[in-house]
Amino acid sequence: EVLPLLAIITGFICIGVFALKLDQCAQFVPLCVMQGFSVGVAIIICVNQLNFALGLPKLPRHELLVDNVMEQLSHIDLAEWQAVVIFGSFFAGQLVLSSVLPKIRGVAIPWAVIMAAIGMVCGYLSSDGTISYRIQTLSTRYPSFGGANLIQPPAFHHQLFTPQCAGSAE
């Protein structure tokens, strides 16, 4: 349950490393080591995202990656078709847009960022009740983290716009 907080702290550490120009130290690590590490991390991230992609409930975690994959496959009958459609459309959309339209007038388009932003809006609309299907978000996955809204729209109080309040401001 500390994963969201750990991700935020890691982001701040990365910003600090780049600000202090410590990223140049990576030049001393062989390229094959960096590539192997990156591929390993990518595989772990992909496997851990299968629960979200299939709409599976929070399954028990195991120490070994292979055991987690077997747990996911043993619960494949619980997959939700809506989650598969949402994941598939976003994944296919990002692949198609990145290959068909990688640049507009010479400027690279960050389709991953754009698709992530659209996904965040869909998650907010789902938690708000605007979309009838419940999309799994950080607050549903980690309930103890649910109170920490990073982006929260301002609350407007209709009493501020009454004639009595307007007259008292003079």
Side-chain angles (χ1 to χ4, degrees):
E1 299 233 351
V2 300
L3 185 61
L5 184 60
L6 182 63
I8 293 170
I9 291 171
T10 303
F12 284 124
I13 290 172
C14 289
I15 291 171
V17 165
F18 283 114
L20 297 172
K21 299 196 185 303
L22 295 175
D23 56 323
Q24 297 173 355
C25 294
Q27 294 174 353
F28 300 112
V29 179
L31 183 60
C32 60
V33 172
M34 294 297 286
Q35 290 175 339
F37 177 77
S38 298
V39 168
V41 169
I43 290 171
I44 291 171
I45 290 172
C46 288
V47 169
N48 285 330
Q49 292 302 310
L50 283 178
N51 288 347
F52 291 108
L54 299 175
L56 295 175
K58 193 171 183 180
L59 300 175
R61 304 289 298 168
H62 303 285
E63 187 174 336
L64 297 176
L65 182 67
V66 174
D67 293 338
N68 286 328
V69 172
M70 295 309 292
E71 185 79 35
Q72 292 166 341
L73 293 176
S74 69
H75 290 89
I76 198 79
D77 57 324
L78 300 175
E80 298 179 3
W81 67 268
Q82 298 99 330
V84 174
V85 168
I86 291 170
F87 173 77
S89 61
F90 272 77
F91 185 71
Q94 184 172 340
L95 284 179
V96 168
L97 289 171
S98 295
S99 61
V100 172
L101 197 60
K103 293 182 180 182
I104 296 180
R105 295 184 184 163
V107 177
I109 306 299
W111 289 114
V113 175
I114 294 169
M115 297 299 271
I118 293 170
M120 287 182 216
V121 170
C122 291
Y124 175 77
L125 293 175
S126 170
S127 64
D128 189 15
T130 307
I131 297 175
S132 61
Y133 176 67
R134 299 294 295 173
I135 297 173
Q136 193 174 45
T137 61
L138 280 177
S139 60
T140 59
R141 179 76 174 194
Y142 305 101
S144 62
F145 189 72
N149 290 328
L150 299 177
I151 301 174
Q152 183 173 355
F156 292 105
H157 301 287
H158 62 83
Q159 292 88 2
L160 295 176
F161 301 106
T162 60
Q164 294 85 5
C165 290
S168 64
E170 297 173 358

